[in-house]
Every structure is written in structure tokens, then in C-alpha cells.
Amino acid sequence: MTVLSLEHVVKRFGDFTAVDDLGFTVKQGEIFGFLGGNGAGKTTSLRMVLDIIRPTSGTITVLGGAPGRRNAASIGFLPEERGLYREMTAIETIIYFGQLKRMSQRDARTRGLNLLQRFELDTWANKKVEKLSKGMAQKVQLAAALVNNPRLLILDEPFSGLDPVNQGLLEDVIVEMKKGGATVVFSTHTMQHAERLCDRLLMLAKGRKVFEGTQDEAHAALPARLTLSSRGDPSALPGVAAAKATGGEDGWKDWEITLAAGATAAGLLQYCTENGFALRRFDIQRASLHDVFLHHVGARDGGKPEGAK
Amino acid sequence: MSFLHHILLVAWREYKTTAKTRSFILTLLIIPLMIAGSAALSAFNSRPEGTTYVLVDTTGRYGPALEARETLDYQRSVMSRLSDYAGRWHLRTWLAGTPLATEERWYNDADVRTFMQSGGAPAVLARLKPHLPADAPAFDYPTQWQFRVAPPQGVPTDKGPDAFGAAIRPWLHKDMNTPAGPRPLATAIYLPADFGAADPTAPNTTAKVWSDGQPDSYFLGTLRDELTGMLRVEALRADGLAPAQIAAAETLSPRFDVAAPPPGGGRELVFIKSALPIALSYLLFMSIMTSGTKMLMGTIEERSNKLLESILACIDARELMYGKLVGVVALGLTAVVVWAGCAVGAAYSFHGELADFLRPALSSLQSPWAGAGLVLYFVSGYVMIAMILLAVGSVSNSIQDAQGYLQPLMMVLLVPFILMISTMVRDPHSPVVEIMSWIPLYTPFAMLARLGSGVPMWEIAGTTAVMLVFIVLELWWLGRVFRNNLLNTGQPPKLLGFLRRKSNAS
């Protein structure tokens, strides 16, 4: 079942096109990553999904209907830039957001207290937000996003600004939500989180989609890197387009192999073993998400993801 | 349904968080506290009124007459106040046959003497007592301004004016005992033995007066008139005029009938009737500025700490806007209810004159139309200005940023308001006030202030219609500004941008 779909969505601010002909679908129970550098159009796209801003053209379907506040009861949202009412207590804040999402005060309080307990903040429930540390306030805001037990959880750069402990907590929450049947869409430019969490992902560059698919499809989009150690020169082997020596010792040489079009690493290994071509090491390395991102986005965007070397 | 639910949720949050703040509570309390404080201060500072004087009459002829004059004047003021007192409780008929029964009357010396001979105020009050309502306050005697006291011990009265003067001077301004309690000695008068002698070259013919500061001109004037009258009588007698003719000349005095509206009537009534609406108009302005500024700062907080995106994911920008407006109107009404409650409480605590003042003031609002108009103008005024403040909040990133808009805005609101109120006090039907009634932004203030002095129905209907159209347009404009600017996705509206440029230029 499709929870979220965008078709040919365009958003312009004056002369600037923030999102250009964007289309994708997210199915129920998926964790969907929204990857892009700064200014790629991630936040604008998510705001359109939430009906905070309207697209210039195109169609958006959320939970089977047009975007709108009637979906609020089924959606949880954590914005990129966080803030809370400083003079309200932690539990008052969560109840307020619960009520805005059509919950009763009692249900919002019960669920809010459970979440605060889950986040080890139950003793801070009645403290004003201004008394909380930044990390605590971030957990309160996450609780406010989760209070309605949403069917669709939208997180905009959820890991930015979190310490490693809270990053781990958030990853756990995302996995728990998926196990509970919820769909999670999150934007990030940190590849490690996407790599660990996403079932499918989409890469954006300058407002345009440059990739959509599963992690395997993403990895397959770039050829695997093959290295081997042999006594002989592998250049003439079938399926090898080029071989570059990178070092070696005791009569063995290390080679970095570029396969010919249509050739596979498995085929090359089979040929070597059947024909007595001596090998001491045969190593296939899939392209990392980071490499894929740089391949797709770096060239268009000029921007680099977090952790880029 | 959820639209209204969201509005009320936002309004309640705005109301609750602001109403709990120290600054709002302080603002609520500051006006009653200031009134109570000034009342307490004046009570603390107030001394019993009236002063004393010492009169040394070595001739033995003038002292008793001067004292009698003081008594007559004081009793005249008692009569005047007694007549008002009887009039206030509609009891003049019970004083038939006395000068007090007539409302418009100047009492001459003969009237006063008759009054005193027939028992004075106690006798009149005894006649009124059976007919007075149970809650009528006791009669309040007028202040007696002058008390004659005997010269202090050790002050010589028989060694000439210089010795008396030297001895009395240190006593001036010191408290002397009187039947009403201690009062300061303000004046000392010495009439020498030859005072009033026909021969101006004779020694000791001049009265001498010592004062503790600026002499009381009324007291000295009375003294001089009285002494002059007595000297003239003596001169006429010396010229051989018959005693009967002298007596007739002495009692000759003009009769006055003073026509004035009863207390609380005439010009006073117009002022009193306008006082409450003008005060309400002022309260409206004060409370808008108090709670509207709070709302403005709240909106800036939501923008600056990026709260809005979370809220707008749950509710529509219009719901947020209406909720804030409802919240701020509720805050303002709270302030007005508290202030009005304090005023009514004070009115009941001070039963007499304040209640007399409030009765006609409230009477201007007794008709259902005036009452409905009052509420309509109050809420409309609030909403119109709150919307502008909300628009400023939605385009400002910081308090400093908002200041750029607020300074010119305050000028636009405050200057005409002050002009209108000052004109209104002088002339409720001034063209300035009537023109301002038709400018929507000032309609509530002008009409609130005019309600007491009578406004034609067509004018109420016309100005209200114009104002309501303006409010609808303003709501539409604010809705656009709010939605376009809350998340910094648009430019500030042209009108506000213009205001800020003007402010920066000035």
C-alpha cells in the first residue's frame, strides 16, 4: 500500500526552482531515506508533503488523500530546526501537540508520560523546557512528534545536532516504529544513518531526483571494485579491461582490476580457478553509499555529504 | 469543529502562558495598586484643615463682633451643605418653612441667625432623621477654616504691639488647641487702644498683623471688611445719625438667588457621563498595548526558535492566527474585568460621593444598545490593533526587528488617540471626534468615548459597518502576511515594509 507519492512536483520561489519535477512513492512499513546536500530541496519537499507550503505544480498524495491538516492525527513530524515553548513544561508541551493532533488530553498525557519514561526523562516531566539541556529538549520534541503514535513519521535531518547517545536512541525509535507498522521518511545528508536504516532511498540534487531505489540498487549503480594478488599478469585474462599493479612482495603482485563491459567478478574467479591462474587474494568491494552519493549528487551539486573524504 | 477546537487550543495556550507571567500580573495589579497607593499616600499626608488666630483687642469693642462674623460665615456654609444633603435624599419638603427648603438660595445674615437660634444643624438633622434611608451616610460638616484661640501663656497683651509681636512670633505655625483638635497658629492680630481714632496722626491707630507665611487673603479681607463696617458705623454715630437709621443701614445687604444645576447635573453631568466611556477607551488602549505586545513577542519567539514548523504541521496558519487573536482578546478582557472590578469594589467601599459620581456615569450605558455597542467596539478595537501587532510579529525575527515597525505604528495610533481624548473632554461633539469615528482604526476609541454624550443611531450603524468591512479586509490581509512570512518564505508586506523604512529614515 502506498503511503506517500509525489508526481511531477515543482516548487518555485520567484525565479528560484527549489524542487523540479520530483516524483517518488513510499510504501507502508518502509524506512525511506531522502538524501541530498544542503539546499537540495529536501526540506521544501517535506514541507509540501505536510501542506505547510503548497507546490507550484504536480500532485502529492499522503495517506490516500491530498496533503492537509486532516492527516495530522496520523502523522508525526520532527523539523530540522528545533524549538519549544520555553515557559511550558515538558509534559504540557507533549500534551499540547497531542491535542493539536486531535488526541484527548488524557490520552496525550498517558502516551506522553510513557514516551518520557522511554527516553529516561520521566523525572523532568513537570520541569519547564527552559530548565532542560539541549539534548533533553530534543527528546521532548521527539516525544511530541511521536505522541499520536503516527502511521507516517517524517523526520527532517533528525540526526543533526544530536550527540552519539541520542543518535543511537533515535535509530532505535525509527526501527521500533517500522516494527510497529509505521512508515518512516527521513531526510539526511549523513550516509551512515541512511546505510544502516533505509529500505529504500532517494537522492536529490538541485531539486531534481538523481536516484531512487533500494540499497542494493544503489550499490549496483556503480561497478564493484576488484583487487587481487597473483604471480602472473592478469591483464590478458578474459573479462579484464585493465589491470593496474599497486604493489607486492615475495613474487606476488597486487592488482586493481577494471572489468570489461558485461564481465563479472564471479566469472573471472571461475576462469582463474579452472585454468590454474594462481591467486593469493581475490577481493570484491561494493561501492559504498557514500561513493554512490558522490557519484550522483557531487557532480551536480558541488556539495559533499557529511563524512566525505 | 476541529477548526474551532484548534483555535481554542491555541487561544487557551496563549492565554494561560501569558496570564501566568509576572509581567502580566504586575500590569494587572499596577493600576489598582497605583490608585490605592495614591489614596493611601494622600490619606497619610493629609492634615486636618483649618488654622488658628490670636486676636488682641485692647479697645474691647471689635473682638466679639469679629468672632460673631466668623461664626455666621461658618454656619452659612453648614446651611448650604445641609440643604444639599436634604436635596440628595429628596427630603427638602420636610424642611418647609425654613430657608433650607429652597434649592437656589443665598443665605443672608438674618437667615443664618434664625437658623442658629432654632437649634442649628443638630435640630435640622433631628427633623430629617426619621425620613432618611437606612443606607444614607451621616451628615458631613463643612471644614471650619478659622479658630480663634487665646494668646499663649507668657505672651504679653498689655505692653504694646511691639512686645506682643516679639513674643507671639515664635508661636506662629505651632499647633494650638481648639475644640476640633490641634491646628497651627497662622495669624496674630493686635488692635491698639486708639484703633479707629478719627485723628490719623494719633499714635497707636493701626492694627498690626503677624502671619506664619503668605497671609490668608480671604481671612484678612473678611477682617478688614468687618472692621471697616464697624468704623463707619462709629463715624456715622459721631456725626449724629439716628441709631435706627444706622441699624437699618447695617442690615442692608443684597439678596441673591443662585441658579445652578443640582450636584451631578448640567455641565458636570455631561462630563460624568463621558468619563466612564472615555476611561474605557483609555483602558482599551492600555490593555491592547499590554497583551498585544505579549502576543507579538510570543510570535517572534515561535519564529526565532523554529517552533512554527512543528505547529504548522498540525494546524493551519489561519487557525494559529485566529487562536492568537482570541487569546489576546481574552487577555485584554481579563485586564479590563480586573480593573473594572477594582473600580466597582472601590466605589462600594467609598459609599458617598464616589457612588454619586458613578451612578450617572453608569446610567449612560444602561440601554441595551449602548451596552452592546460597548462590547462590540471594545472587541473590534482589540482585534484590529491585535491583527496589526500579529502581522508585525509574523515578519520580525527579533524584538529589535519588531521595534522598527512598532515605533511608527505607535505614532499612528497614539497621536490621534491623545488628540481625540483631549478634544473629547472639551467638546464631545467636536468635528475632530466625529471625523475620527469614521476612520476604522480609531472608530472604537472615538465611539466608546462618545457613547456617554449621545450618538445618533445612524452614526453608530454607519461607523460600525465601515469598521466591520475594514476588519474583514484586515483579516484577509493578515492571513496572507501570516502564511507567507511565518516560515520566512516571503517578503514582508509592502505596507509594513513602508512603515519600517519610514522609521529607519527618521
Side-chain angles (χ1 to χ4, degrees), chain B residues 126-148:
Chain B
R127 276 170 77 175
L128 295 179
K129 196 175 177 187
H131 315 292
L132 274 171
D135 61 342
F139 176 70
D140 185 20
Y141 280 88
T143 304
Q144 187 170 351
W145 296 101
Q146 303 293 343
F147 294 89
R148 184 179 174 185

mmCIF file of all heavy atoms in Angstrom, chain B residues 126-148:
data_model
loop_
_atom_site.group_PDB
_atom_site.id
_atom_site.type_symbol
_atom_site.label_atom_id
_atom_site.label_comp_id
_atom_site.label_asym_id
_atom_site.label_seq_id
_atom_site.Cartn_x
_atom_site.Cartn_y
_atom_site.Cartn_z
ATOM 1 N N ALA B 126 -32.176 66.324 63.237
ATOM 2 C CA ALA B 126 -33.159 65.577 64.028
ATOM 3 C C ALA B 126 -34.492 65.498 63.277
ATOM 4 O O ALA B 126 -35.176 64.477 63.301
ATOM 5 C CB ALA B 126 -33.344 66.244 65.387
ATOM 6 N N ARG B 127 -34.836 66.595 62.550
ATOM 7 C CA ARG B 127 -36.088 66.581 61.776
ATOM 8 C C ARG B 127 -35.997 65.606 60.596
ATOM 9 O O ARG B 127 -36.967 64.969 60.216
ATOM 10 C CB ARG B 127 -36.385 67.981 61.228
ATOM 11 C CG ARG B 127 -37.099 68.864 62.240
ATOM 12 C CD ARG B 127 -37.151 70.291 61.744
ATOM 13 N NE ARG B 127 -38.162 70.500 60.710
ATOM 14 C CZ ARG B 127 -38.446 71.703 60.210
ATOM 15 N NH1 ARG B 127 -37.784 72.771 60.640
ATOM 16 N NH2 ARG B 127 -39.359 71.846 59.300
ATOM 17 N N LEU B 128 -34.794 65.538 60.005
ATOM 18 C CA LEU B 128 -34.633 64.688 58.811
ATOM 19 C C LEU B 128 -34.489 63.212 59.161
ATOM 20 O O LEU B 128 -34.843 62.330 58.366
ATOM 21 C CB LEU B 128 -33.390 65.129 58.023
ATOM 22 C CG LEU B 128 -33.410 66.515 57.392
ATOM 23 C CD1 LEU B 128 -32.088 66.781 56.663
ATOM 24 C CD2 LEU B 128 -34.576 66.636 56.392
ATOM 25 N N LYS B 129 -33.966 62.958 60.333
ATOM 26 C CA LYS B 129 -33.542 61.596 60.668
ATOM 27 C C LYS B 129 -34.613 60.523 60.421
ATOM 28 O O LYS B 129 -34.313 59.477 59.817
ATOM 29 C CB LYS B 129 -33.061 61.544 62.117
ATOM 30 C CG LYS B 129 -32.262 60.284 62.400
ATOM 31 C CD LYS B 129 -31.676 60.266 63.783
ATOM 32 C CE LYS B 129 -30.959 58.942 63.978
ATOM 33 N NZ LYS B 129 -30.497 58.770 65.325
ATOM 34 N N PRO B 130 -35.861 60.734 60.832
ATOM 35 C CA PRO B 130 -36.856 59.666 60.637
ATOM 36 C C PRO B 130 -37.098 59.336 59.160
ATOM 37 O O PRO B 130 -37.584 58.260 58.852
ATOM 38 C CB PRO B 130 -38.123 60.260 61.257
ATOM 39 C CG PRO B 130 -37.684 61.401 62.080
ATOM 40 C CD PRO B 130 -36.431 61.911 61.498
ATOM 41 N N HIS B 131 -36.761 60.282 58.269
ATOM 42 C CA HIS B 131 -37.092 60.089 56.851
ATOM 43 C C HIS B 131 -35.889 59.690 55.998
ATOM 44 O O HIS B 131 -36.030 59.439 54.807
ATOM 45 C CB HIS B 131 -37.699 61.393 56.292
ATOM 46 C CG HIS B 131 -38.711 61.992 57.206
ATOM 47 N ND1 HIS B 131 -39.927 61.390 57.444
ATOM 48 C CD2 HIS B 131 -38.667 63.096 57.999
ATOM 49 C CE1 HIS B 131 -40.587 62.116 58.335
ATOM 50 N NE2 HIS B 131 -39.849 63.151 58.682
ATOM 51 N N LEU B 132 -34.728 59.646 56.620
ATOM 52 C CA LEU B 132 -33.521 59.311 55.850
ATOM 53 C C LEU B 132 -33.498 57.820 55.534
ATOM 54 O O LEU B 132 -33.878 57.010 56.375
ATOM 55 C CB LEU B 132 -32.267 59.638 56.674
ATOM 56 C CG LEU B 132 -31.724 61.060 56.601
ATOM 57 C CD1 LEU B 132 -30.629 61.245 57.647
ATOM 58 C CD2 LEU B 132 -31.174 61.370 55.211
ATOM 59 N N PRO B 133 -33.054 57.432 54.321
ATOM 60 C CA PRO B 133 -32.902 55.990 54.040
ATOM 61 C C PRO B 133 -31.861 55.389 54.992
ATOM 62 O O PRO B 133 -30.957 56.086 55.466
ATOM 63 C CB PRO B 133 -32.389 55.949 52.599
ATOM 64 C CG PRO B 133 -32.533 57.312 52.061
ATOM 65 C CD PRO B 133 -32.640 58.257 53.193
ATOM 66 N N ALA B 134 -31.985 54.061 55.188
ATOM 67 C CA ALA B 134 -31.098 53.396 56.161
ATOM 68 C C ALA B 134 -29.634 53.488 55.731
ATOM 69 O O ALA B 134 -28.730 53.550 56.575
ATOM 70 C CB ALA B 134 -31.516 51.945 56.305
ATOM 71 N N ASP B 135 -29.403 53.470 54.386
ATOM 72 C CA ASP B 135 -28.003 53.456 53.947
ATOM 73 C C ASP B 135 -27.442 54.859 53.700
ATOM 74 O O ASP B 135 -26.340 55.000 53.171
ATOM 75 C CB ASP B 135 -27.875 52.609 52.661
ATOM 76 C CG ASP B 135 -28.695 53.184 51.521
ATOM 77 O OD1 ASP B 135 -29.596 53.998 51.804
ATOM 78 O OD2 ASP B 135 -28.438 52.818 50.358
ATOM 79 N N ALA B 136 -28.207 55.889 54.092
ATOM 80 C CA ALA B 136 -27.694 57.249 53.878
ATOM 81 C C ALA B 136 -26.531 57.520 54.825
ATOM 82 O O ALA B 136 -26.611 57.198 56.013
ATOM 83 C CB ALA B 136 -28.806 58.262 54.121
ATOM 84 N N PRO B 137 -25.451 58.070 54.278
ATOM 85 C CA PRO B 137 -24.314 58.352 55.164
ATOM 86 C C PRO B 137 -24.637 59.516 56.111
ATOM 87 O O PRO B 137 -25.538 60.311 55.834
ATOM 88 C CB PRO B 137 -23.213 58.731 54.179
ATOM 89 C CG PRO B 137 -23.922 59.198 52.963
ATOM 90 C CD PRO B 137 -25.217 58.472 52.906
ATOM 91 N N ALA B 138 -23.871 59.570 57.197
ATOM 92 C CA ALA B 138 -24.083 60.643 58.173
ATOM 93 C C ALA B 138 -23.735 61.985 57.537
ATOM 94 O O ALA B 138 -22.927 62.045 56.596
ATOM 95 C CB ALA B 138 -23.219 60.401 59.393
ATOM 96 N N PHE B 139 -24.332 63.064 58.040
ATOM 97 C CA PHE B 139 -24.053 64.402 57.501
ATOM 98 C C PHE B 139 -22.592 64.763 57.797
ATOM 99 O O PHE B 139 -22.091 64.545 58.897
ATOM 100 C CB PHE B 139 -24.996 65.427 58.145
ATOM 101 C CG PHE B 139 -24.704 66.828 57.705
ATOM 102 C CD1 PHE B 139 -24.969 67.230 56.396
ATOM 103 C CD2 PHE B 139 -24.157 67.753 58.590
ATOM 104 C CE1 PHE B 139 -24.693 68.526 55.987
ATOM 105 C CE2 PHE B 139 -23.871 69.047 58.180
ATOM 106 C CZ PHE B 139 -24.142 69.438 56.871
ATOM 107 N N ASP B 140 -21.972 65.281 56.767
ATOM 108 C CA ASP B 140 -20.557 65.630 56.880
ATOM 109 C C ASP B 140 -20.454 67.154 57.035
ATOM 110 O O ASP B 140 -20.757 67.884 56.091
ATOM 111 C CB ASP B 140 -19.853 65.145 55.593
ATOM 112 C CG ASP B 140 -18.355 65.358 55.664
ATOM 113 O OD1 ASP B 140 -17.839 65.504 56.789
ATOM 114 O OD2 ASP B 140 -17.718 65.386 54.589
ATOM 115 N N TYR B 141 -20.071 67.623 58.235
ATOM 116 C CA TYR B 141 -19.980 69.075 58.469
ATOM 117 C C TYR B 141 -18.875 69.670 57.611
ATOM 118 O O TYR B 141 -17.832 69.034 57.405
ATOM 119 C CB TYR B 141 -19.672 69.352 59.942
ATOM 120 C CG TYR B 141 -20.902 69.260 60.833
ATOM 121 C CD1 TYR B 141 -21.288 68.054 61.377
ATOM 122 C CD2 TYR B 141 -21.658 70.398 61.109
ATOM 123 C CE1 TYR B 141 -22.407 67.944 62.176
ATOM 124 C CE2 TYR B 141 -22.785 70.308 61.905
ATOM 125 C CZ TYR B 141 -23.162 69.090 62.447
ATOM 126 O OH TYR B 141 -24.274 69.010 63.222
ATOM 127 N N PRO B 142 -19.093 70.891 57.112
ATOM 128 C CA PRO B 142 -18.015 71.526 56.345
ATOM 129 C C PRO B 142 -16.828 71.864 57.240
ATOM 130 O O PRO B 142 -16.955 71.928 58.463
ATOM 131 C CB PRO B 142 -18.667 72.790 55.785
ATOM 132 C CG PRO B 142 -19.852 73.054 56.643
ATOM 133 C CD PRO B 142 -20.294 71.739 57.202
ATOM 134 N N THR B 143 -15.712 72.042 56.589
ATOM 135 C CA THR B 143 -14.491 72.356 57.339
ATOM 136 C C THR B 143 -14.592 73.769 57.919
ATOM 137 O O THR B 143 -15.005 74.702 57.225
ATOM 138 C CB THR B 143 -13.277 72.296 56.390
ATOM 139 O OG1 THR B 143 -13.259 71.008 55.796
ATOM 140 C CG2 THR B 143 -11.981 72.554 57.116
ATOM 141 N N GLN B 144 -14.219 73.916 59.204
ATOM 142 C CA GLN B 144 -14.126 75.262 59.783
ATOM 143 C C GLN B 144 -12.684 75.720 59.594
ATOM 144 O O GLN B 144 -11.752 75.058 60.041
ATOM 145 C CB GLN B 144 -14.489 75.236 61.276
ATOM 146 C CG GLN B 144 -14.563 76.639 61.858
ATOM 147 C CD GLN B 144 -15.142 76.666 63.258
ATOM 148 O OE1 GLN B 144 -15.647 75.665 63.752
ATOM 149 N NE2 GLN B 144 -15.066 77.801 63.908
ATOM 150 N N TRP B 145 -12.544 76.814 58.848
ATOM 151 C CA TRP B 145 -11.198 77.211 58.439
ATOM 152 C C TRP B 145 -10.467 78.004 59.509
ATOM 153 O O TRP B 145 -9.241 77.956 59.583
ATOM 154 C CB TRP B 145 -11.269 78.028 57.139
ATOM 155 C CG TRP B 145 -11.799 77.205 56.006
ATOM 156 C CD1 TRP B 145 -13.056 77.210 55.507
ATOM 157 C CD2 TRP B 145 -11.081 76.201 55.292
ATOM 158 N NE1 TRP B 145 -13.190 76.289 54.515
ATOM 159 C CE2 TRP B 145 -11.983 75.643 54.350
ATOM 160 C CE3 TRP B 145 -9.775 75.720 55.348
ATOM 161 C CZ2 TRP B 145 -11.607 74.628 53.483
ATOM 162 C CZ3 TRP B 145 -9.411 74.720 54.466
ATOM 163 C CH2 TRP B 145 -10.320 74.177 53.545
ATOM 164 N N GLN B 146 -11.187 78.788 60.325
ATOM 165 C CA GLN B 146 -10.518 79.660 61.297
ATOM 166 C C GLN B 146 -11.048 79.405 62.708
ATOM 167 O O GLN B 146 -12.264 79.295 62.905
ATOM 168 C CB GLN B 146 -10.776 81.137 60.947
ATOM 169 C CG GLN B 146 -10.351 81.538 59.549
ATOM 170 C CD GLN B 146 -8.835 81.486 59.349
ATOM 171 O OE1 GLN B 146 -8.079 81.447 60.326
ATOM 172 N NE2 GLN B 146 -8.406 81.478 58.108
ATOM 173 N N PHE B 147 -10.119 79.266 63.637
ATOM 174 C CA PHE B 147 -10.485 79.139 65.054
ATOM 175 C C PHE B 147 -9.772 80.251 65.826
ATOM 176 O O PHE B 147 -8.557 80.400 65.678
ATOM 177 C CB PHE B 147 -10.017 77.795 65.617
ATOM 178 C CG PHE B 147 -10.704 76.600 65.005
ATOM 179 C CD1 PHE B 147 -10.190 75.986 63.866
ATOM 180 C CD2 PHE B 147 -11.872 76.079 65.569
ATOM 181 C CE1 PHE B 147 -10.808 74.894 63.311
ATOM 182 C CE2 PHE B 147 -12.493 74.972 65.010
ATOM 183 C CZ PHE B 147 -11.955 74.377 63.878
ATOM 184 N N ARG B 148 -10.546 80.972 66.631
ATOM 185 C CA ARG B 148 -9.862 81.981 67.455
ATOM 186 C C ARG B 148 -9.374 81.298 68.730
ATOM 187 O O ARG B 148 -10.121 80.548 69.361
ATOM 188 C CB ARG B 148 -10.830 83.130 67.811
ATOM 189 C CG ARG B 148 -10.113 84.235 68.579
ATOM 190 C CD ARG B 148 -11.020 85.384 68.923
ATOM 191 N NE ARG B 148 -10.301 86.325 69.762
ATOM 192 C CZ ARG B 148 -10.839 87.399 70.319
ATOM 193 N NH1 ARG B 148 -12.118 87.677 70.096
ATOM 194 N NH2 ARG B 148 -10.118 88.212 71.078
#
